[in-house]
């Protein structure tokens, strides 16, 4: 890709070169990440994902093998006000070639990229508090499941089922004490197993929705997230879906399935026989809890991702906390680089998070203090809480530094 010689040879190369992005490569929509705008790039063959800026995304979308670099340079100049020379093109095309995003790319090269991407995915975010065990071949079963059960995601079916599930969820909330009184310990193991299976279907629904809109899950398996063991489904392709509603629907699919499962359970509780009522009550409580917890936008669960996709943002929570920290350290000058929309969005999310999490944290600390004081006395309870606060502060600092290091590595 190196061009040597005078301006004539450079111009001839720009006129003749017609690079083409491989058909398996998709460039996602613009997403706001703090003060910047990014695009995700996905390779459906290697399952590798990259992050680029708006200028690179503009050019990559136009690498179709029909237009020359000179033609693309003219379009680029009309959009960004400057024309790219051969050196700029060589850097961009060299980067794309290194990642095997251009045609042609041999099967051995693609296999190596696939192995590298899978290794990175397996090692991502592993710690004593969080790790994943993917089930081999599980993600490849999603298209078959989608062909048989995808009709459940059609709006004509999904809308009334979701509304009916919300009605049952409200009824469960209003009758929480009565349902809890009906739960019997003898049904506990079976109720826990069925609730776990309900959540497995929840995760599978994300994969089916991802496939419905043109993607495919990268992993399906079991995840340890302290203190729970739960199924998971990674739908990384969602960041390349062109329409926000497709991304929101994929994030909502799990909650939708839980709402749909609440409908027959609600009918059984209202009109069914008395024998299985303790089991039905336990499943209604667990199902409604899954729905309500997942919809909270301050937790990094479905509701949070729905909000991210609806606002076309990336890492909304982390960027909001960085925004708040910059504002607290430097005042308005610290957030001047953020566009107006980003300032409003990050400030709103931070305020909502504080409004939701602060009372919850206060109640948890109060309950824990009262428990410790009842065991060892008030002074000992204060010492224990103080030590725990220091430990939490150290862990949070380690977590922040770790995220900053990983973010710097991704940018490199």
């Amino acid at each position: 890709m190196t061009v040597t010689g005078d301006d004539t040879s450079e111009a001839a190369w720009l006129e003749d070169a017609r690079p083409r992005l491989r058909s398996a490569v998709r460039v996602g929509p613009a997403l706001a990440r703090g003060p910047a705008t990014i695009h995700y790039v996905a390779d459906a063959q290697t399952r590798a994902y990259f992050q680029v800026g708006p200028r690179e995304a503009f050019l990559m979308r136009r690498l179709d093998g029909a237009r020359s670099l000179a033609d693309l340079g003219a379009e680029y100049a009309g959009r960004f006000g400057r024309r790219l020379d051969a050196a700029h093109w060589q850097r961009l095309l060299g980067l794309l070639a290194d990642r095997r995003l251009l045609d042609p790319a041999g099967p051995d090269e693609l296999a190596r990229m696939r192995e590298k991407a899978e290794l990175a995915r397996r090692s991502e975010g592993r710690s004593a508090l969080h790790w994943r065990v993917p089930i081999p071949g599980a993600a490849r079963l999603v298209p078959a499941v989608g062909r048989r059960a995808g009709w459940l995601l059609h709006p004509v079916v999904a809308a009334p089922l979701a509304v009916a599930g919300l009605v049952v969820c409200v009824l469960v909330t209003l009758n929480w004490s009565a349902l809890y009184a009906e739960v019997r310990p003898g049904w506990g193991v079976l109720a826990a197993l069925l609730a776990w299976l309900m959540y497995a279907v929840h995760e599978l629904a994300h994969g089916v929705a991802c496939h419905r809109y043109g993607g495919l899950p990268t992993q399906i398996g079991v995840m340890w997230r302290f203190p729970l063991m739960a199924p998971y489904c990674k739908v990384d392709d969602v960041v390349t879906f062109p329409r926000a509603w497709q991304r929101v629907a994929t994030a909502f699919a799990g909650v939708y399935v839980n709402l749909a499962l609440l409908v027959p359970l609600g009918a059984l509780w209202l009109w069914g026989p008395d024998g299985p009522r303790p089991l039905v009550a336990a499943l209604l409580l667990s199902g409604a809890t899954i729905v309500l917890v997942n919809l909270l936008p301050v937790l990094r669960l479905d509701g949070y991702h729905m909000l991210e996709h609806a606002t076309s943002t990336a890492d909304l929570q982390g960027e909001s906390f960085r925004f708040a920290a910059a504002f607290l350290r430097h005042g308005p000058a610290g957030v001047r680089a953020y566009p107006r929309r980003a300032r409003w969005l990050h400030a709103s999310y931070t305020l909502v998070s504080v409004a939701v999490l602060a009372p919850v944290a206060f109640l948890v600390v109060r309950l824990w203090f009262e428990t410790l004081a009842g065991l060892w006395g008030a002074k000992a309870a204060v010492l224990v809480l103080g030590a725990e606060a220091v430990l939490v502060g150290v862990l949070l600092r380690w977590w922040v530094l770790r995220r900053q290091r990983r973010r710097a590595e991704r940018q490199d």
Side-chain angles (χ1 to χ4, degrees):
M1 301 224 177
T2 303
V3 179
T4 58
D6 55 19
D7 292 342
T8 302
S9 61
E10 178 177 309
W13 178 70
L14 293 175
E15 286 289 347
D16 294 339
R18 284 171 167 78
R20 181 174 60 187
L21 215 61
R22 289 180 28 247
S23 59
V25 178
R26 298 188 302 275
V27 182
L31 302 175
R33 185 165 196 161
T37 299
I38 65 167
H39 297 254
Y40 285 103
V41 178
D43 187 337
Q45 281 186 277
T46 65
R47 311 303 289 162
Y49 297 82
F50 310 100
Q51 180 180 311
V52 299
R55 296 172 184 263
E56 294 82 359
F58 178 88
L59 293 171
M60 290 176 68
R61 286 199 177 101
R62 289 160 174 78
L63 294 177
D64 54 9
R67 286 175 282 194
S68 68
L69 296 185
D71 295 333
L72 295 178
E75 292 185 42
Y76 183 90
R79 173 68 176 83
F80 296 102
R82 57 171 296 186
R83 185 177 290 272
L84 298 178
D85 58 21
H88 286 94
W89 278 116
Q90 289 175 41
R91 283 195 293 270
L92 174 62
L93 296 178
L95 178 64
L96 298 180
D98 288 342
R99 295 178 175 179
R100 306 302 184 261
L101 300 179
L102 295 176
D103 261 340
D108 293 339
E109 297 174 324
L110 296 179
R112 284 193 293 271
M113 290 297 297
R114 190 181 303 111
E115 291 174 5
K116 183 178 178 181
E118 180 61 25
L119 180 62
R121 207 162 16 248
R122 285 179 176 272
S123 61
E124 182 183 11
R126 299 198 67 161
S127 68
L129 301 180
H130 184 206
W131 48 262
R132 296 186 179 97
V133 179
I135 299 174
R140 292 194 292 271
L141 299 176
V142 167
V145 176
R147 285 191 293 270
R148 290 168 173 79
W151 60 272
L152 288 168
L153 298 177
H154 193 283
V156 174
V157 178
L161 270 179
V163 171
L166 286 171
V167 171
V168 176
C169 199
V170 171
L171 290 175
V172 170
T173 305
L174 295 176
N175 294 275
W176 196 274
S177 298
L179 284 162
Y180 187 78
E182 292 190 27
V183 176
R184 298 291 180 268
W187 293 90
V189 174
L190 180 58
L193 176 60
L194 291 176
W196 200 89
L197 291 175
M198 288 169 61
Y199 202 78
V201 176
H202 167 118
E203 291 298 320
L204 182 60
H206 289 304
V208 173
C210 179
H211 178 258
R212 179 181 178 85
Y213 300 120
L216 188 69
T218 50
Q219 285 182 354
I220 294 178
V222 179
M223 173 180 63
W224 163 256
R225 178 177 285 176
F226 181 82
L228 300 173
M229 183 80 74
Y232 78 94
C233 177
K234 284 179 66 66
V235 288
D236 298 327
D237 281 347
V238 70
V239 293
T240 65
F241 294 168
R243 296 177 177 82
W245 68 265
Q246 295 173 331
R247 304 193 294 272
V248 173
T250 303
F252 178 66
V255 172
Y256 157 66
V257 164
N258 289 122
L259 289 172
L261 291 173
L262 285 176
V263 176
L265 290 172
L268 279 174
W269 185 67
L270 290 172
W271 303 298
D274 292 337
R277 282 180 69 87
L279 176 62
V280 172
L283 293 177
L284 281 171
L285 291 174
S286 60
T289 300
I290 290 173
V291 169
L292 296 174
V293 170
N294 270 275
L295 286 178
L296 281 176
V298 298
L299 304 177
R300 296 181 76 97
L301 297 172
D302 294 345
Y304 167 76
H305 293 300
M306 289 168 63
L307 180 61
E308 266 193 331
H309 298 319
T311 55
S312 293
T313 55
D315 193 18
L316 175 61
Q317 188 179 85
E319 293 296 341
S320 295
F321 293 161
R322 275 185 282 274
F323 172 89
F327 183 82
L328 291 174
R329 285 197 301 265
H330 307 292
V335 297
R336 192 169 293 138
Y338 288 77
R340 182 177 180 180
R341 177 180 179 272
R343 290 199 298 268
W344 178 87
L345 186 61
H346 292 309
S348 299
Y349 184 83
T350 302
L351 292 175
V352 170
S353 298
V354 172
V356 173
L357 295 177
V360 173
F362 173 78
L363 291 174
V364 170
V365 171
R366 179 179 176 180
L367 178 62
W368 185 229
F369 173 80
E370 292 174 351
T371 302
L372 293 174
L375 292 173
W376 303 319
K379 291 183 179 179
V382 171
L383 291 175
V384 172
L385 285 176
E388 290 176 341
V390 172
L391 178 61
V392 169
V394 171
L395 290 175
L396 284 174
R397 181 60 178 168
W398 169 81
W399 179 76
V400 169
L401 292 175
R402 183 168 173 265
R403 282 182 61 88
Q404 290 176 345
R405 184 170 63 253
R406 289 176 57 191
R407 189 183 185 198
E409 290 172 355
R410 285 198 302 267
Q411 290 174 345
D412 292 341

